[in-house]
Amino acid sequence: MAHGIVDVARAAGVSTATVSRALRGLPNVTAATRERVRRAADELGYVPSPSAASLASGRTRTIGLITPWVAHWFFANVIEGAERALRAEEFDALLYTFEVSRERRRRPVDPDVLRRRVDGVLVVGLPLEAEEVATLEGLELPLVFVGAGAPGQVTVGVDDVATARRAVAHLAELGHVVIAHLSGEPDDTLPWSPAVRRAQGWQAEMRDRGLAHAGLEVHGHFDVRGGRASMHALLDRRPDVTAVFAASDEMAMGAVLALRDRGLRVPQDVSVVGVDGHEMGEHLGLSTMAQNAHEQGVTAATMLLEMITGTPVPADVVFPTVLVDRGSTAPPCDRIVTTV
């Protein structure tokens, strides 16, 4: 005969609400009571039902996950890490994708698609306007950002400015002077977006080293195709480029393809370094500023669950990035530059 939560409550001498809180690890239950409830549940063979717990608590046991893409490396890894952390606590993820473009800003994030459907919101790599952040805050739900946090919000990510500066410093220390930058979306101007911050880091390092950077930035749209096209455009304008810092590994891969299209060698003719730690980069010998996107997802989801239970969390968690030299950077060589 199957036993229910009422049987456990009777055996432990507590209310059914206390049984629910004790078995789910929620606060305001003493250690002695928690142990008594767990022992009674074990003896009766009671396994709590997630759906019943949700009904009792008024919670959906679902997290709203907002992101612009799911196919790109960073986003896929963050989402995978977050989902694993959520599943471990018997939570589900409800995925919403919103493109990054000026057109999207005319169709902002609609909070009504989340209302009464989720217990918290995780925003992955989507730079939101201040008004959009305010609408999400109006839901009065725990809110965590990964990779593109607005000021005053709980954020998990990397130091984008420092990451860019370290990449550019690596190229400059090899002897490069004409160091170009493949940045993200051309209409992404929000000061807290990774694209803007990485471009700022590139500019700052170039400026501090006395290197000119005017006319050396092109937009690669954070994908291989965009990186390839933008690298071709850059070479048409500045054939004297000897090094490239790309704001993502996927753009860096596109740059490598474009250089090969032109008969240029990497790194003998042009050095290339990206950001991420994409698995394909290892096969292509791509140097990168590596980050652990999977663990960022795990951390963000765990923090969100803690906020749901009222547990304090830090306002900002910064993950390190590490320069991984796989051979796509080298000192500049003297090559003959021809213009058409």
Side-chain angles (χ1 to χ4, degrees):
M1 178 179 177
H3 293 280
I5 192 171
V6 174
D7 301 309
V8 176
R10 186 180 297 114
V14 297
S15 68
T16 56
T18 299
V19 171
S20 177
R21 296 185 68 81
L23 295 181
R24 291 164 56 214
L26 296 181
N28 300 323
V29 179
T30 66
T33 299
R34 195 182 306 277
E35 177 58 29
R36 191 164 72 252
V37 169
R38 287 176 176 170
R39 186 165 55 249
D42 289 342
E43 291 173 355
L44 295 172
Y46 171 71
V47 178
S49 164
S51 59
S54 297
L55 289 172
S57 65
R59 291 185 180 144
T60 66
R61 299 194 71 80
T62 301
I63 297 301
L65 201 158
I66 301 176
T67 185
W69 300 295
V70 294
H72 291 241
W73 180 90
F74 173 79
F75 303 90
N77 277 270
V78 170
I79 292 169
E80 180 184 359
E83 285 190 324
R84 287 190 177 181
L86 293 172
R87 284 199 304 270
E89 297 298 326
E90 297 184 314
F91 270 71
D92 295 319
L94 196 56
L95 181 65
Y96 297 92
T97 57
F98 291 85
E99 64 176 323
V100 176
S101 67
R102 189 173 287 110
E103 176 65 24
R104 184 196 70 77
R105 291 175 186 171
R106 289 195 291 268
R107 294 180 289 102
V109 172
D110 182 3
D112 289 335
V113 301
L114 300 168
R115 205 180 306 276
R116 292 186 298 277
R117 301 182 68 182
V118 300
D119 297 328
V121 180
L122 190 63
V123 182
V124 179
L126 181 62
L128 296 179
E129 302 278 2
E131 294 79 5
E132 293 179 300
V133 175
T135 62
L136 289 180
E137 289 180 314
L139 293 171
E140 298 184 346
L141 294 172
L143 178 63
V144 175
F145 288 77
V146 184
Q153 301 299 319
V154 176
T155 303
V156 176
V158 302
D159 186 330
D160 291 299
V161 172
T163 295
R165 293 192 68 136
R166 180 68 188 92
V168 176
H170 169 67
L171 296 170
E173 288 162 5
L174 287 172
H176 292 279
V177 174
V178 185
I179 303 171
H181 177 48
L182 303 190
S183 62
E185 299 297 328
D187 59 348
D188 187 357
T189 59
L190 293 176
W192 49 81
S193 74
V196 171
R197 286 176 171 170
R198 291 173 192 178
Q200 290 172 343
W202 165 73
Q203 292 172 2
E205 191 66 25
M206 294 286 281
R207 184 171 55 250
D208 288 353
R209 290 178 177 271
L211 304 177
H213 62 269
L216 287 172
E217 180 179 1
V218 288
H219 301 291
H221 304 281
F222 280 115
D223 60 21
V224 175
R225 179 181 297 179
R228 190 174 195 171
S230 63
M231 190 69 214
H232 275 297
L234 175 65
L235 290 171
D236 288 340
R237 185 170 72 231
R238 292 294 301 267
D240 58 330
V241 166
T242 66
V244 175
F245 162 56
S248 78
D249 280 353
E250 291 183 44
M251 286 192 291
M253 293 175 196
V256 170
L257 294 176
L259 291 165
R260 291 177 180 174
D261 293 340
R262 299 286 185 117
L264 297 172
R265 301 164 300 167
V266 176
Q268 293 90 340
D269 296 317
V270 180
S271 289
V272 180
V273 61
V275 177
D276 278 333
H278 197 299
E279 290 84 356
M280 285 300 298
E282 186 172 355
H283 300 295
L284 295 175
L286 177 66
S287 297
T288 184
M289 296 297 300
Q291 62 175 322
N292 194 331
H294 184 277
E295 282 305 308
Q296 289 179 52
V298 170
T299 298
T302 301
M303 290 170 62
L304 194 59
L305 294 176
E306 290 174 344
M307 292 169 69
I308 290 172
T309 63
T311 303
V313 299
D316 191 26
V317 176
V318 180
F319 275 73
T321 54
V322 179
L323 175 63
V324 179
D325 189 350
R326 294 178 178 144
S328 66
T329 62
C333 69
D334 295 326
R335 79 173 194 268
I336 299 174
V337 177
T338 59
T339 58
V340 179

